[in-house]
């Protein structure tokens, strides 16, 4: 049977001064997050297209440029053309940069979308959402959490993963990669069963190369446990991906012409605003005032860090690692990058009361 909630409390046995330090750091970052602007587009404080209230006219939402690009490519693949024969042409029409090569998405999702069609893609999204919910229900049932934490975590998971079901964004690579990573995370059993998680993560990686940190973290954690077989499997997956990605970059390099524009730099050093923006905008937090949404993101991360289990440790490192990346890289219009990890972000809120209670108790302990 699952253990009771105190067994999953990371801070329950901490000494007084470390607990006080945790509370001080939490308070500082919540205050900073409350004043961190949530930005999209060219740096203005805003919300992403089609995620806020629908405009009065036109009745049909206008597709923003990224989605228009993917729509056009998928339409041409449906008509029998090949990806590398059309991608450069469609990039130039908008215009979108072809340099450097990683400004061009991998072809996997475009082919899948052309094969499935809009209805099939919507059905696949529903199946993915159901698989995520079922896998996490089982995973939480095997973790040292109480029944109340399990039920609350599931409700919060469904709120965080709802982006998968937003049909408007079904051609967006991060939507699928993030949903698949959430499923892989739930299916993974450290030191026991990991093959299914590896295969699901491989599909996520084939759709969006920014899923690679998940794979590298899984390899590092397996190495830390001295599970060399699993570690080698994750490293092999990463190696195969790098080889495939190199081939993709080579194909793009063959298409580049002297007049093609260079992409603007992604190294933007947005700091905490980058983390908050990318964790808020693909989630229901986008409907809240920034002064409330930012601190809630910090609380999500705090809750994950207070969950004493293999899942809690992996989730904490995953979210903090991607969060650090978002603080360093990504332009405001790249708000959807956060969808790579936000499906599991809200689970941390289920553990906030327990973590706060135990940390406060230890901070007061003589």
């Amino acid at each position: 049977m699952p253990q009771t909630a105190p067994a999953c409390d990371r801070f329950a046995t901490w000494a007084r001064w470390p607990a006080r330090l945790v509370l001080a750091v939490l308070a500082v970052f919540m205050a900073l997050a409350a004043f961190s602007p949530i930005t999209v587009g060219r740096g203005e404080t805003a919300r992403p297209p089609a995620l806020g209230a629908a405009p009065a006219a036109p009745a049909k939402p206008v597709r923003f440029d990224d989605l228009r690009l993917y729509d056009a490519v998928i339409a041409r693949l449906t008509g029998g053309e090949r990806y590398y024969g059309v991608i450069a042409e469609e990039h130039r029409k908008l215009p979108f940069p072809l340099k450097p090569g990683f400004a061009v998405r991998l072809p996997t999702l475009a082919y899948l979308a052309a094969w499935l069609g809009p209805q099939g893609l919507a059905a696949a999204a529903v199946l993915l959402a159901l698989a995520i919910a079922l896998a996490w229900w089982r995973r939480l049932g095997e973790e040292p959490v109480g029944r109340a934490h399990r039920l609350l975590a599931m409700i919060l998971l469904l709120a965080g993963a709802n982006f998968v079901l937003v049909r408007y964004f079904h051609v967006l690579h991060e939507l699928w990669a993030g949903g698949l990573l959430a499923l892989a995370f739930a299916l993974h059993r450290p030191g026991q069963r990991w093959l299914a998680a590896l295969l699901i993560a491989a599909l996520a990686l084939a759709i969006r190369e920014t899923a690679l940190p998940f794979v590298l973290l899984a390899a590092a954690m397996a190495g830390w446990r001295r599970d060399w077989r699993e570690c080698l499997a994750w490293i092999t997956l990463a190696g195969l991906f790098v080889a495939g990605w190199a081939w993709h970059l080579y194909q793009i390099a063959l298409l580049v012409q002297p007049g093609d524009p260079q992409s603007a730099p992604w190294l933007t050093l947005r700091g905490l605003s980058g983390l908050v923006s990318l964790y808020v905008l693909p989630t229901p937090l986008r409907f809240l005032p920034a002064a409330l949404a930012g601190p809630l993101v910090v609380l999500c991360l705090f809750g994950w860090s207070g969950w004493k289990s293999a899942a809690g440790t992996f989730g904490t490192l995953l979210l903090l690692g991607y969060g650090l990346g978002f603080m360093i890289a990504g332009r405001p219009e790249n708000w959807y990058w956060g969808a790579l990890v936000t499906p599991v972000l809200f689970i941390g809120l289920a553990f906030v009361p327990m973590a706060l209670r135990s940390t406060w108790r230890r901070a007061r302990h003589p």
Side-chain angles (χ1 to χ4, degrees):
M1 292 180 61
Q3 301 178 42
T4 57
C8 67
D9 191 343
R10 190 182 302 277
F11 300 124
T13 58
W14 280 37
R16 180 200 294 185
W17 285 105
R20 289 181 174 180
L21 179 60
V22 167
L23 289 176
V25 171
L26 176 64
V28 168
F29 274 95
M30 287 185 67
L32 291 173
F35 293 97
S36 296
I38 298 174
T39 56
V40 67
R42 296 184 180 275
E44 68 275 12
T45 301
R47 290 293 186 267
L51 287 185
K60 185 177 181 180
V62 177
R63 302 285 272 176
F64 69 96
D65 287 347
D66 300 67
L67 302 186
R68 287 171 51 210
L69 170 66
Y70 307 146
D71 289 342
V73 171
I74 292 167
R76 294 182 66 174
L77 294 186
T78 304
E81 297 185 71
R82 295 185 178 276
Y83 186 80
Y84 293 105
V86 304
I87 191 62
E89 295 177 15
E90 295 301 330
H91 265 247
R92 293 186 184 109
K93 286 179 182 178
L94 283 168
F96 270 16
L98 287 166
K99 298 183 295 186
F102 47 79
V104 181
R105 296 290 177 264
L106 293 161
T108 311
L109 180 59
Y111 277 113
L112 287 174
W115 177 55
L116 291 172
Q119 300 301 325
L121 208 59
V126 172
L127 291 175
L128 176 58
L130 290 173
I132 293 169
L134 177 60
W136 271 103
W137 176 254
R138 295 183 62 182
R139 177 66 184 265
L140 290 164
E142 298 170 11
E143 292 286 337
V145 300
R147 181 175 179 81
H149 284 94
R150 185 186 186 190
L151 291 173
L152 180 57
M154 284 301 302
I155 294 171
L156 292 166
L157 168 71
L158 296 177
N162 78 320
F163 192 62
V164 173
L165 296 174
V166 181
R167 191 165 181 174
Y168 178 86
F169 292 106
H170 277 175
V171 296
L172 196 63
H173 300 73
E174 287 78 5
L175 178 149
W176 294 96
L180 290 166
L181 291 182
L183 178 58
F185 187 175
L187 291 174
H188 185 253
R189 301 295 186 274
Q192 301 175 34
R193 303 188 303 275
W194 45 264
L195 181 58
L198 183 138
L199 294 176
I200 295 295
L203 179 55
L205 197 53
I207 290 174
R208 190 69 168 97
E209 67 277 3
T210 43
L212 184 60
F214 180 99
V215 174
L216 297 178
L217 177 59
M221 296 290 286
W224 180 262
R225 297 190 305 270
R226 298 183 182 275
D227 188 342
W228 304 120
R229 183 182 178 190
E230 181 183 344
C231 180
L232 179 60
W234 288 107
I235 292 174
T236 300
L237 172 59
L240 291 172
F241 163 74
V242 169
W245 196 32
W247 182 85
H248 167 73
L249 295 178
Y250 173 72
Q251 295 299 315
I252 300 302
L254 295 177
L255 301 172
V256 173
Q257 298 176 1
D260 288 330
Q262 182 81 19
S263 174
W266 284 284
L267 188 64
T268 53
L269 301 178
R270 296 171 65 194
L272 192 58
S273 175
L275 181 152
V276 170
S277 295
L278 271 71
Y279 279 173
V280 165
L281 292 173
T283 72
L285 292 179
R286 64 184 175 267
F287 298 116
L288 299 178
L292 181 58
L296 282 173
V297 169
V298 176
L299 284 176
C300 288
L301 299 176
F302 174 68
W304 269 102
S305 69
W307 182 6
K308 186 181 179 181
S309 73
T313 300
F314 187 90
T316 301
L317 294 175
L318 182 73
L319 288 162
L320 288 178
Y322 271 97
L324 178 60
F326 297 151
M327 294 171 71
I328 297 171
R331 301 187 297 269
E333 60 265 30
N334 302 135
W335 60 267
Y336 46 82
W337 287 6
L340 286 163
V341 285
T342 51
V344 299
L345 176 66
F346 289 176
I347 292 176
L349 287 175
F351 297 91
V352 167
M354 176 192 69
L356 278 176
R357 184 171 54 250
S358 60
T359 308
W360 177 255
R361 186 183 300 120
R362 299 308 301 174
R364 298 178 60 195
H365 186 73

